[in-house]
Amino acid sequence: MLSFIVSSASGLVVPRVARSTPRCGAPTAVTQGEVHGEGGAYVAGHWVPLELCKEKFNIAGGSNEKTPAGPCPRSITRHSSAKPDGSYDVAIIGSGCIGAAVARELSKTTASVVMLEAADDVCQGATKGNSGIVHAGFDDKPGSVRAALCWKGNQLFPQLDSELHFGYQLTGSLLLARGAENGVKNLRIVGEEELRRMEPRLAPGATAALHSPDAGTLIPYEYTIALAENAADNGVEVRTRREVRGIAKDKAAGLFDIQMEHWEPKEFVEATGGGPLSALRKALSAAAPALGRYFGGEDEAGPWKDYPQLVKGEQAVDVEAMKVGGSGSRRAMGGVTVARETVRAKYVVNCAGGASDKVARLVGDESFQIKPRLGEYGILVQKTLWGNLILGPTARDVDKWPTPGVDPDSKQQVLSSILSACRSLVPDFETDDAFHSFSGARAKSSRGDWIIERCATEPDLIHAAGIDSPGIAGSPAIALEVVRLLGEAGLDAPADPAFNPSRAAVVVPKRGDEGLVYTPDDKESLNALGVSAAENVVCKCEKVTEAEAIRKRTRAGMGGCQGKPWNYGCECRVAQIIARETEGLPVAEVGRRPWSATSQFPRRWLSDGDKENLKAWSQPPPAEADETARKLEEALPLEVSPVEAAEAEAE
């Protein structure tokens, strides 16, 4: 029997492998029919109207107020949390949702903690390429670590969001066809009449469902950034662009020596000679066009000839890069080593995601292997659907559709099966508004379950490895278990009375266009009318203002137009703000969204022909409906078999 999940009252039904996610500031319906950021915000799972957001969402007194605005050192926090002898109590390797959750939990204590990340920012790996569903835990295998921690973690999200304000929404979920017993509460069977009231767009064939009111949704990177920022505000040191190369134990001192390579993008290093940012400004002081570098190309579905200032760029990401930060990894960015560093710590937490088995092997532990499971998410504006629409072994060298190296017929067959299954439950499901895609790489372990334990060869190292779905849901509980294991290993860190659990949200909720100004759309001027930064709209789809506009933190450029230069030029506008705020960095040198990176769409902006392909693949003849369902069932759980070959080739 096929398994389907429905976001309760969202007007959307999708296969179990293609889950729904509301998007901050984008048109979608959730349980209460409200849109996060439009007329209010979701706090702790529930809707807060705009009039109360100042007290409950954009709060005063958050931990962020501890750190005044101003220039920061590159690839590291301003502060060090090292003890007087230069060592740390705990070093966390990896800053996805697991590493950041552990860091935030430890920041509640007096422990000295450093978090090390191989990519150029937190949340650049599996967490970023995620559907954002906070599962309730009813379909995890009974007796598994997943089952033990998913429901427990789910129950911690309302309190977490009341403190960190990342926009958690209690949507609930409906599961058509199956469920499991894992101590999950509040489950009930919904009959056909009530099901029709909850989801009026369902096809007549759906007659019952399992309802779980505790399932929710969030934006994965906003959640992880909130954890990491609050942890840093409370004393955790963060170092990015640090690739761990070796771990040795100084038994006499009782400390691990963690050897790392600090890398920076090749262009930065060549321009500065490895020196400070001021040298880069001097080296690149020549005037640059306002639009500058733009990842895309002349074959895009748009008038590129009208924008000669744009410089075409591209970035392909292979399997190895996806394990350690995807488009923000050293491999993808052409990083070169600028320094070698050693961090000394009494305890180590291995949260390295796709590279966690490599970290384990550095201390002689070969008890598990990570074999990433890759999939492609397609995004549609109209129904706000995120789903596994396109499959392939890697996201490398994608210059046409279907993916090179994958049998076009088999790929289209699986895609057609998924899309037609959506249509079988929601007859008016459409693909016409597909506008972007991205890949995710789950850290699937050879053990088939989450690995949360003290290392057999080095008991002062804690593994939080092989965390695949529903890792985000379990992350708060995983962090608590890691801290418990650290205590079992001997960590003695009392509670820090100065800990501030609260963090103010970055984006201010809007009420329509009230108080906003859309400057003349000439693509060259950031703020042509000279209005205040709080009024000047930089990204019209997501209504992000000049005062808020840092893309990953605010979704600027991530709406339906994806920052098209011939639309509102959001990405170019954000680049101008960054250039201005860094006091002279040429706008052409500001980093942009990579392309094609981890997307397998043939163009950054799909053409009408591409959309017609999607539409055609979602409409198999009615006579083939049963066969389509059978093929989809056989395809689940959509393991990508060529991964090992692609991985070997990458090495």
Side-chain angles (χ1 to χ4, degrees), residues 441-460:
R442 291 177 177 173
K444 197 81 174 173
S445 82
S446 55
R447 295 193 197 175
D449 198 1
W450 296 350
I451 302 166
I452 305 170
E453 63 190 28
R454 295 175 68 185
C455 175
T457 59
E458 290 288 355
D460 290 341

Side-chain angles (χ1 to χ4, degrees), residues 370-391:
I370 298 299
K371 296 184 176 181
R373 191 167 102 187
L374 309 184
E376 190 82 357
Y377 285 83
I379 311 173
L380 287 77
V381 173
Q382 185 181 28
K383 302 295 189 295
T384 320
L385 167 68
W386 298 48
N388 294 340
L389 296 183
I390 299 180
L391 304 175

Side-chain angles (χ1 to χ4, degrees), residues 41-265:
Y42 280 92
V43 179
H46 301 286
W47 181 251
V48 172
L50 191 62
E51 292 73 22
L52 298 179
C53 280
K54 185 176 181 180
E55 293 77 23
K56 294 191 175 183
F57 186 66
N58 295 99
I59 61 168
S63 64
N64 47 295
E65 295 179 12
K66 290 183 177 180
T67 306
C72 291
R74 188 175 176 89
S75 307
I76 193 171
T77 49
R78 293 182 207 168
H79 65 273
S80 169
S81 65
K83 296 187 289 189
D85 65 357
S87 71
Y88 300 83
D89 290 317
V90 184
I92 301 168
I93 302 175
S95 65
C97 67
I98 308 301
V102 172
R104 201 255 182 175
E105 201 61 41
L106 286 172
S107 74
K108 298 177 181 179
T109 74
T110 56
S112 57
V113 181
V114 61
M115 184 162 62
L116 310 172
E117 172 55 51
D120 65 343
D121 197 359
V122 303
C123 194
Q124 287 287 65
T127 301
K128 180 180 67 174
N130 186 286
S131 62
I133 300 291
V134 179
H135 293 270
F138 51 77
D139 59 347
D140 294 311
K141 182 180 179 180
S144 65
V145 179
R146 288 187 187 89
L149 296 178
C150 182
W151 168 249
K152 182 179 178 181
N154 169 283
Q155 292 296 287
L156 296 173
F157 272 90
Q159 180 61 33
L160 272 173
D161 191 50
S162 70
E163 296 172 347
L164 300 177
H165 304 98
F166 47 84
Y168 176 57
Q169 306 179 31
L170 271 169
T171 60
S173 68
L174 295 170
L175 186 71
L176 309 185
R178 70 180 176 117
E181 291 294 330
N182 288 322
V184 178
K185 301 183 184 302
N186 306 322
L187 299 177
R188 65 188 182 91
I189 299 296
V190 175
E192 184 171 5
E193 183 177 344
E194 184 177 2
L195 183 59
R196 292 277 165 252
R197 289 197 301 269
M198 297 174 75
E199 290 290 345
R201 295 174 53 219
L202 280 175
T207 58
L210 177 70
H211 181 232
S212 175
D214 293 283
T217 56
L218 50 74
I219 306 299
Y221 49 84
E222 291 189 13
Y223 165 60
T224 306
I225 288 167
L227 290 169
E229 286 183 352
N230 187 244
D233 290 340
N234 284 290
V236 172
E237 180 182 338
V238 182
R239 302 191 197 186
T240 61
R241 298 191 177 102
R242 264 66 175 191
E243 236 177 31
V244 173
R245 294 295 190 181
I247 302 177
K249 188 68 176 287
D250 182 343
K251 296 189 182 297
L255 296 172
F256 289 100
D257 287 338
I258 305 169
Q259 294 93 39
M260 304 174 295
E261 290 186 2
H262 172 197
W263 65 269
E264 295 289 347

Side-chain angles (χ1 to χ4, degrees), residues 395-432:
R396 292 179 301 171
D397 306 323
V398 179
D399 56 6
K400 60 182 179 179
W401 199 9
T403 306
V406 179
D407 176 28
D409 291 335
S410 65
K411 183 175 179 180
Q412 179 176 334
Q413 183 181 80
V414 175
L415 176 59
S416 179
S417 298
I418 295 171
L419 295 177
S420 60
C422 292
R423 188 177 294 280
S424 71
L425 284 186
V426 185
D428 62 348
F429 170 75
E430 295 292 348
T431 63
D432 291 5

